[in-house]
Amino acid sequence: QVNLLESGGDLVQPGGSLTLSCVGSGIGLKWYAVNWHRQAPGGQREMIAGITRDRHINYEDSVKGRFTISRDDDKNTVYLQMNNLEPEDTAVYYCHAPYFPTMWGQGTRVTVST
């Protein structure tokens, strides 16, 4: 009923680009801040980017200048454009709305490797 659905993950080479999408199902994303998180193999989940309903944006230092978060409220979608990907970016990526703190999806897997 109420979900955030991630998509767009893939296997890419270092230096490549990828765009992830987060689509709201049963939820109007225009009313909520949305964050992107990632969890590397064997690591903990960390927040890397966020955007408020007023389009105020913040990034974690490791992705600043390489990743861009945006939203299209008419499409009920939040995006994460990832450029100059590095092996350290390999992780499962999740979108999350803090208003729904326990609502996590399956994520989408990004693998950066030769």
Side-chain angles (χ1 to χ4, degrees), residues 26-69:
I27 177 176
L29 290 186
K30 68 178 181 180
W31 299 109
Y32 305 104
V34 177
N35 302 322
W36 281 99
H37 299 244
R38 67 184 181 185
Q39 186 169 14
Q44 293 189 339
R45 185 175 293 157
E46 63 172 351
M47 191 181 76
I48 58 170
I51 184 168
T52 72
R53 63 186 181 92
D54 297 317
R55 290 180 168 83
H56 296 294
I57 293 170
N58 64 279
Y59 298 101
E60 195 268 332
D61 285 343
S62 66
V63 308
K64 192 176 300 180
R66 299 188 299 122
F67 292 10
T68 302
I69 188 171

Side-chain angles (χ1 to χ4, degrees), residues 64-83:
K64 192 176 300 180
R66 299 188 299 122
F67 292 10
T68 302
I69 188 171
S70 63
R71 65 193 306 159
D72 186 336
D73 291 338
D74 290 336
K75 296 183 178 180
N76 209 30
T77 302
V78 174
Y79 302 97
L80 185 68
Q81 181 183 342
M82 306 185 295
N83 298 323

Side-chain angles (χ1 to χ4, degrees), residues 12-33:
V12 297
Q13 294 185 343
S17 297
L18 203 60
T19 299
L20 307 182
S21 297
C22 171
V23 179
S25 178
I27 177 176
L29 290 186
K30 68 178 181 180
W31 299 109
Y32 305 104

